[in-house]
Amino acid sequence: GAGVSQSPSNKVTEKGKDVELRCDPISGHTALYWYRQRLGQGLEFLIYFQGNSAPDKSGLPSDRFSAERTGESVSTLTIQRTQQEDSAVYLCASSSTSGTYNEQFFGPGTRLTVL
Amino acid sequence: AQSVTQLDSQVPVFEEAPVELRCNYSSSVSVYLFWYVQYPNQGLQLLLKYLSGSTLVKGINGFEAEFNKSQTSFHLRKPSVHISDTAEYFCAVSRTNYGGSQGNLIFGKGTKLSVKP
């Protein structure tokens, strides 16, 4: 079946512009996560959705970052007034919540470059 | 809070040699433990996981890891590596399940394994 998909795969933008990154989770997965991978760093958790609510936004680095999710499907991560330090690969993952342990499946990521 | 430390940022090794990638974690609550692999220009793939039970877990591609609670470690090993194992490896933890959610993963900074002929 289809995995997690993300678009665009690459995004180059100018400092100060807004960008939107999209994640399509695996069908039926109620949990959705956003992570950020900056060069030379591990993955940093940004936000978690359970359905269309976000019980954990603790990883969002500033109020320039926001995210929303429509039902149990598509999620959009928006970065306003982008800065050069926002350059990173943004990864999305989804999982079911039906068992004690639910594996997170990762998408291929969106590579964001802020000039 | 949880944290993960991968002690080596880069590990060069010759083909067919054994390798160990080290991971230590810190947590005040019980956690699940994971190793993920990221091949060049590809997404993250789960290599293996420890949830409970036997402390020695086996994963894909001949990798295994041993959970050591007293040393809070979860080192990854392979007895004989191949060129194709060249990739970046990430150790991660998550809180054990509660309220129907696993919770987010907390990653180490990664170890780049470079296998040379």
Side-chain angles (χ1 to χ4, degrees):
Chain A
V4 178
S5 61
Q6 293 185 245
S7 61
S9 55
N10 279 285
K11 176 71 177 179
V12 180
T13 190
E14 293 179 348
K15 178 181 173 181
K17 300 283 190 182
D18 298 353
V19 296
E20 283 191 354
L21 312 180
R22 177 186 170 110
C23 171
D24 284 86
I26 293 172
S27 178
H29 278 189
T30 53
L32 186 146
Y33 305 81
W34 282 98
Y35 296 88
R36 176 171 74 172
Q37 184 178 20
R38 290 188 285 186
L39 191 64
Q41 304 292 316
L43 283 81
E44 306 167 74
F45 165 73
L46 298 177
I47 188 170
Y48 155 64
F49 285 92
Q50 177 63 32
N52 62 4
S53 67
D56 190 353
K57 305 179 183 179
S58 62
L60 294 178
S62 77
D63 58 7
R64 296 186 296 105
F65 286 72
S66 63
E68 61 180 28
R69 187 179 184 194
T70 306
E72 294 184 354
S73 60
V74 173
S75 175
T76 303
L77 177 69
T78 301
I79 309 173
Q80 296 179 308
R81 305 181 302 281
T82 52
Q83 303 295 311
Q84 288 182 333
E85 63 262 28
D86 299 334
S87 295
V89 176
Y90 289 82
L91 290 161
C92 173
S94 71
S95 76
S96 66
T97 53
S98 58
T100 303
Y101 164 71
N102 299 286
E103 181 178 343
Q104 293 184 29
F105 293 87
F106 284 82
T110 293
R111 182 176 298 277
L112 174 66
T113 303
V114 181
L115 301 176
Chain B
Q2 298 83 44
S3 66
V4 177
T5 302
Q6 291 184 242
L7 297 165
D8 306 295
S9 59
Q10 297 190 49
V11 173
V13 65
F14 287 106
E15 193 173 20
E16 297 184 7
V19 70
E20 180 179 79
L21 306 183
R22 296 179 292 169
C23 172
N24 287 86
Y25 71 94
S26 173
S27 178
S28 57
V29 298
S30 61
V31 293
Y32 297 140
L33 294 145
F34 309 85
W35 276 98
Y36 283 84
V37 59
Q38 186 174 38
Y39 297 103
N41 301 314
Q42 294 188 29
L44 278 172
Q45 181 180 3
L46 181 64
L47 201 55
L48 51 77
K49 61 184 181 289
Y50 172 79
L51 305 181
S52 66
S54 173
T55 57
L56 182 64
V57 292
K58 295 186 184 297
I60 60 172
N61 301 338
F63 283 92
E64 64 180 31
E66 185 156 20
F67 169 54
N68 187 318
K69 189 174 182 179
S70 63
Q71 297 185 4
T72 60
S73 67
F74 190 55
H75 301 333
L76 181 70
R77 296 191 292 260
K78 186 169 183 178
S80 176
V81 294
H82 302 288
I83 298 286
S84 59
D85 292 323
T86 294
E88 191 159 17
Y89 293 79
F90 293 93
C91 183
V93 301
S94 72
R95 291 163 294 181
T96 55
N97 189 54
Y98 66 96
S101 162
Q102 180 188 328
N104 59 285
L105 291 160
I106 296 156
F107 288 86
K109 292 189 176 182
T111 297
K112 291 184 179 177
L113 176 65
S114 175
V115 181
K116 304 177 187 303

